[in-house]
Amino acid sequence: MSKVGFALALLLWSTGCKATTWVVGATEKTKHIKEAIALAQPGDTLIIKPGIYREGNLILQKPLIIKGEDYPVLDGENQFEIFTIHADNVVLTGLKFINTGIASINDLAAIKLLESSRVKITNNKFENTFFGIYLANSSHVWIEENELRANAESEHQIGNGIHLWKCNHITIHKNKVKGHRDGIYFEFVTNSLITQNHSEGNMRYGLHFMFSHNDEYRDNTFANNGAGVAVMYTKAVTMVRNTFIHNWGSSAYGLLLKDIRDSEISNNAFVENSVGIFMEGSSRNNIRQNKFYQNGYALRLQASCDDNRITRNNFQQNTFDLVTNGSLVLNTIEANYWDRYEGYDLNKDKTGDVPYRPISIYGTIVERMPQAILLWRSFLVLLLDKAEKAMPVLTPENLMDTSPAMLPYDFN
Amino acid sequence: MISINSLEKKFGRLTALDQVTLQLKGGKSYALIGPNGSGKTTLIKSILGLVVPTSGSILFEDKPILYDWKYRDKIGYMPQIGRYPENMRVGQLFEMMKHIRPGKQKVDEELLDAFKLYKIFDKRMHALSGGTRQKVSAALAFLFHAPVLILDEPTAGLDPVSVELLKEKIIQEKRRGKLLIITSHILNDLDEIATEMVYMFEGRIQYNNSIESLKAETNEVKLTKAIATLIRQRELLESVTE
Amino acid sequence: MVRIIKYVFYDLLRTRFILFYTAFLLVCTFAFFQLDGDFGKVVLSLLNIMLMAVPLVSVVFSTIHFFNSYEFIELMLAQPVNRKSVFLSEYLAVASSLSLAFVAGVGLPFLLYGAWQPVATLMVTGVFLTWVFVSLAFFASVLTRDKAKAIGVALLFWFYFSLIYDGLLLWVIYTFSDYPLEKLTLSLIALNPIDLARIVMILQLDISALMGYTGAFYKNFFGSNLGILFSVSLLLLWIVLPMILAMRIFNKKDL
């Protein structure tokens, strides 16, 4: 359902019954939000004046529009979940949520939405919340332009920023998530759209999803996350124009693809990651027109992957362009630009006349003995690589790009 | 002035100097002679500190010279084969030497004039003939009024005129009370310029006395003859003792 | 000593080699800029030159120069001049003119195209390597009187540090790959000045290469102040140690 449709529905519904506006504030007649929720009829609007509201857990079970003025603060006092919503057609906007409780059994959240639909959560701020926005069994929800910040010190002291479980038709747009366990977490979420979000500095993954088919990710940025972005056990995902940047660490990835099928990964930028894309057990994916720049490994293609098409990508200034742990060639690697390519183009068709073998013997050595990384850029490694290029012994002979591009592609 | 005590130098298995003990006094002129490889040059280089002895010591004015270098201010040295920076011009060489030994205000340029070295001041060292090179070496040795002069084969390769000029200079310096140490194969030359004779053989000093007493011992008038007789006597002696 | 340095400098200039060396570096750096405007790539190409050519040129040139200066050294030593001064003058003049050539040859183009922090590191490590290999060359030179032999020894130093040592290191890593090797490899790296310079540069350029668990360990070490102090003092040690050793031998050497 589109936004316009939703607004129209609201309008129709609100004109059906008479809607009242309730103002909540320290100097108003209604001093507590809880009170206002109890008094209000479905479809009413609550205006929350600036101030600090310590009201424990607010349970909302009727359709209301709740608006904050100048970000009134809803304080969970480090022990409560703030909003628990079980109602359709709810709008939450302009609120600031702080200090939810921390619990290892219940997933306490600033906003928890259960079995609801047609809900909008926009322009809210979240500070030091265990879970920020938590959705379960919901559909048609808009989560837009929220800001979530947490400063946890270890993974088990903190929940996820935006957490979705068994949902569908969700739009997540222009949110900023920082310092949570996973920035955005999906499990069994389908037919959803995730655009222009910024997920940075989260303890584990910037984006983490499993069993979430037919979703689309566009124009998001995932930076400096503990382990990058991990996506698993999913089919038909579209990931376009996202930026994966600076995900450093011993087990960090720009993007980890595990059991991903029939998906499209295009026009993304992978910059300064330990591993640009790590692929495992994935098939029939289309990886094209991505930019791999200054990564440790641009692409780690495990032998369990097949029928993937890796075409027209730019590989520039990566330590290793491609490594694999097998010798079979089951994927198509074609027409990429490799900055290490030293071939020539006699017929001037902008395609190199000799194939390029992106796997270096040194990469293979480092795969087996990580300490050998210390010899990177040494004369010895240079000689080894040249010798191997001339006569492949250890690297799979047929793994090559038969039509390497002479110049980098311009994707802008 | 220079006192050499039980000096020994070994190059690997070869013993170049074997327990050499020798007193060299100012105002005297020593002829250091002996066959090739008898240790003359090694002895000279030891005095100059170019060769570090295996054992024994050398005292220069009662001070040990080992690892010292200031005493060389009092030595003028003319090497057997003068080796100089090949790219340097003759003039620059003299300039540099004056620069390196700045202590002396007044330099002795008599030989420089006598050999007319000014004329070749802009020539490079590698362009010089062996004889001209010797002249340069000689002029450098006398340049700084050093009280000790060590001349290794000074007349070898020089033309007769220059030999005479050099001899005159040597005699003149001897008269000034300098200590001279001269090696030469040309014994006739030594006859005129040396007063003492040190004969070396296989790294040992075989004979050390004044030339006059040598001549008296051997009943010869000429130094050449006297030395030849000396050698014959020694050989005879050795065969008897063996 | 200053007086002697002056003449050694004069002699060095006469051979014109230093000028050729500067020109070579200039041409290379400009060519890299022409081929690829990307600073990172230029510095990477220069890194290869620094790790290969600089040690080679330094070690060979210094050895040849030492033997070509034999006459000069002999002449000086018959004069009232300290042996140490003669040796140090030769050493300082050669090392500083080679460093100057390196800094000028690599630095000038960067001045034109704009400077960048890794370039400074490149220059510093390049100068360090120059001094290290001049030290090693002087050490090789005083070991023998035979010029050809000395050049052989000098080349061996170069070959050992730029290739054989790394081969041995790889073998060690391969043989003991089942054990935690981080500390061992770290200390082994420290025993090779070229490796040390390389690691310092890589930390500046493509840290991505040093990622993964192992890499993170090295990065944490070399990236810290302690690590920088460690690398600098080791490189200094690599300069001073062979030089002192060479000077000691030279002091007792027969000419």
Side-chain angles (χ1 to χ4, degrees), chain A residues 239 262-266 279 283-288 290 307-311:
Chain A
M239 302 186 93
D262 303 300
S263 295
E264 173 87 17
I265 294 154
S266 62
M279 282 175 86
S283 343
R284 298 188 301 275
N285 298 297
N286 212 346
I287 298 177
R288 61 187 173 91
N290 298 290
D307 284 329
N308 296 290
R309 290 181 54 82
I310 298 157
T311 54

Side-chain angles (χ1 to χ4, degrees), chain A residues 128-153:
Chain A
N128 194 24
T129 56
F130 187 54
F131 278 78
I133 302 168
Y134 186 113
L135 273 64
N137 289 315
S138 298
S139 66
H140 300 95
V141 177
W142 283 257
I143 300 173
E144 292 180 358
E145 296 186 52
N146 298 290
E147 267 188 62
L148 299 95
R149 265 168 209 283
N151 340 293
E153 273 152 25

Side-chain angles (χ1 to χ4, degrees), chain A residues 357-385:
Chain A
R357 290 194 172 82
I359 294 192
S360 70
I361 183 170
Y362 178 56
T364 314
I365 290 172
V366 172
E367 262 309 278
R368 287 187 209 166
M369 307 177 269
Q371 287 93 352
I373 192 70
L374 273 181
L375 295 173
W376 171 234
R377 291 201 182 284
S378 67
F379 188 35
L380 180 75
V381 165
L382 196 84
L383 285 185
L384 275 179
D385 274 344

Side-chain angles (χ1 to χ4, degrees), chain A residues 387-403:
Chain A
E388 181 73 11
K389 284 246 151 63
M391 282 182 294
V393 180
L394 282 176
T395 54
E397 198 182 346
N398 295 323
L399 202 158
M400 56 191 175
D401 188 331
T402 46
S403 52

Side-chain angles (χ1 to χ4, degrees), chain B:
Chain B
M1 206 167 183
I2 301 174
S3 140
I4 299 164
N5 305 310
S6 338
L7 196 68
E8 190 162 299
K9 178 66 193 176
K10 285 184 177 149
F11 293 111
R13 276 191 214 148
L14 181 89
T15 305
L17 294 177
D18 189 1
Q19 298 295 324
V20 172
T21 301
L22 189 63
Q23 306 294 324
L24 303 167
K25 297 191 183 72
K28 288 193 174 174
S29 173
Y30 295 85
L32 190 57
I33 57 176
N36 295 329
S38 59
K40 291 170 295 179
T41 301
T42 307
L43 184 61
I44 285 176
K45 284 192 166 181
S46 300
I47 294 172
L48 282 163
L50 291 174
V51 165
V52 180
T54 314
S55 67
S57 68
I58 300 172
L59 304 177
F60 190 96
E61 290 178 337
D62 302 325
K63 269 183 265 168
I65 62 158
L66 197 65
Y67 303 128
D68 189 16
W69 50 273
K70 292 191 187 78
Y71 76 95
R72 284 200 288 269
D73 201 22
K74 295 185 176 140
I75 298 178
Y77 170 53
M78 176 178 174
Q80 187 172 12
I81 305 157
R83 307 223 289 159
Y84 300 99
E86 296 294 295
N87 283 320
M88 213 167 241
R89 290 173 208 278
V90 178
Q92 284 170 331
L93 180 68
F94 279 94
E95 204 60 32
M96 180 176 82
M97 297 306 282
K98 286 179 201 166
H99 202 164
I100 297 283
R101 292 174 80 154
K104 297 282 184 298
Q105 300 294 321
K106 199 104 167 77
V107 288
D108 179 356
E109 296 190 334
E110 274 180 37
L111 274 184
L112 217 60
D113 294 326
F115 290 147
K116 300 194 172 64
L117 289 177
Y118 289 115
K119 285 187 181 168
I120 55 158
F121 254 27
D122 60 342
K123 277 201 178 168
R124 292 198 188 278
M125 289 307 296
H126 62 76
L128 299 189
S129 70
T132 320
R133 214 175 251 263
Q134 283 292 88
K135 289 182 197 169
V136 170
S137 298
L140 281 176
F142 287 95
L143 198 61
F144 298 102
H145 296 288
V148 176
L149 290 165
I150 299 173
L151 313 173
D152 200 353
E153 298 285 349
T155 53
L158 284 183
D159 59 90
V161 182
S162 304
V163 169
E164 283 313 309
L165 285 169
L166 184 57
K167 271 194 205 165
E168 269 169 40
K169 180 70 185 163
I170 292 170
I171 292 162
Q172 187 192 324
E173 292 301 314
K174 189 176 81 184
R175 286 200 194 113
R176 285 185 184 150
K178 294 201 172 162
L179 166 60
L180 284 118
I181 303 162
I182 305 159
T183 72
S184 183
H185 283 101
I186 305 157
L187 300 172
N188 278 331
D189 295 342
L190 288 174
D191 217 347
E192 297 162 54
I193 53 180
T195 56
E196 311 290 310
M197 197 198 74
V198 177
Y199 179 73
M200 290 189 76
F201 184 71
E202 289 184 341
R204 271 179 233 151
I205 292 183
Q206 300 286 355
Y207 186 86
N208 175 16
N209 211 331
S210 71
I211 289 178
E212 271 170 33
S213 42
L214 172 70
K215 283 179 182 167
E217 269 176 46
T218 51
N219 290 320
E220 298 284 353
V221 189
K222 287 200 129 191
L223 182 62
T224 32
K225 288 273 168 70
I227 290 168
T229 315
L230 174 75
I231 293 167
R232 246 178 278 125
Q233 281 176 357
R234 294 275 147 150
E235 274 168 1
L236 211 63
L237 207 68
E238 253 168 46
S239 63
V240 171
T241 47
E242 271 167 22

